[in-house]
Amino acid sequence: AQRVTQPEKLLSVFKGAPVELKCNYSYSGSPELFWYVQYSRQRLQLLLRHISRESIKGFTADLNKGETSFHLKKPFAQEEDSAMYYCALSGLSAAGNKLTFGGGTRVLVKP
Amino acid sequence: KAGVTQTPRYLIKTRGQQVTLSCSPISGHRSVSWYQQTPGQGLQFLFEYFSETQRNKGNFPGRFSGRQFSNSRSEMNVSTLELGDSALYLCASSPGDVYNEQFFGPGTRLTVL
């Protein structure tokens, strides 16, 4: 079974402060991990994915297979980063596109 | 390219009725997935269709069904609606290769009274 856990429902930080969103997963095979983001009144959209190893909007995420984690980090939060963030997992051994989402973390960046 | 579109955007039904939701994927995308989003359960995978065939299925009762047409447009149907089916139903499309980025639509807000 696949499971994704995001322990924080809400993260409130000041502009310019670092922000880290935690994501832990459970999967018996080899996972592909994603971070999706939903800004106010916008659609859910991909922020970044492990396999591409890109830094998007200053965000990075490292897959730690030993700790089964895929935490999202940004060194200096901006007000426009306020949004709902979802960690998601897709099994590399599975056919098709099936995403298992975590419960989401709401990030509020205060001025 | 135009994004994923879903119709209708809002729907109100009563218990026992059935409902059909529609999703038009991005042009050229062959995979369409459906998700249910509720405050209590979050985002849950319903099913995925690829080339008119169901390729993946989540853990939902048989009242939830779907289909995909030859132009990749997809519909999902919920029969014998229950109050707990009230949710935002999201459709996502992707080119079809496994583990591709999924592009989400705006969702259909279903309220069951």
Side-chain angles (χ1 to χ4, degrees), chain A residues 9-52:
Chain A
K9 289 191 182 300
L10 174 66
L11 271 181
S12 183
V13 299
F14 285 102
K15 177 182 173 181
V19 61
E20 180 179 24
L21 288 73
K22 290 185 168 48
C23 171
N24 289 92
Y25 67 90
S26 173
Y27 182 63
S28 57
S30 188
E32 173 62 12
L33 278 299
F34 304 80
W35 277 99
Y36 278 81
V37 61
Q38 188 166 30
Y39 301 102
S40 179
R41 297 189 183 87
Q42 294 189 28
R43 305 178 182 201
L44 195 59
Q45 59 186 283
L46 180 67
L47 179 62
L48 58 78
R49 57 187 300 180
H50 163 250
I51 199 168
S52 63

Side-chain angles (χ1 to χ4, degrees), chain B residues 31-109:
Chain B
S31 167
V32 174
S33 298
W34 289 89
Y35 295 84
Q36 182 195 65
Q37 186 175 28
T38 59
Q41 299 298 318
L43 278 156
Q44 293 185 285
F45 173 80
L46 280 155
F47 29 65
E48 181 209 8
Y49 285 87
F50 177 76
S51 293
E52 301 178 65
T53 302
Q54 188 179 86
R55 185 160 69 169
N56 268 304
K57 188 177 188 305
N59 297 321
F60 279 81
R63 300 185 297 106
F64 292 81
S65 62
R67 59 177 175 169
Q68 187 179 35
F69 302 95
S70 58
N71 62 358
S72 293
R73 190 176 70 85
S74 176
E75 290 181 345
M76 68 163 280
N77 184 277
V78 188
S79 63
T80 320
L81 283 166
E82 300 177 0
L83 295 178
D85 297 333
S86 294
L88 181 67
Y89 289 88
L90 294 173
C91 164
S93 77
S94 73
D97 297 334
V98 181
Y99 322 121
N100 270 151
E101 172 184 356
Q102 294 197 36
F103 295 82
F104 284 82
T108 293
R109 172 75 62 187

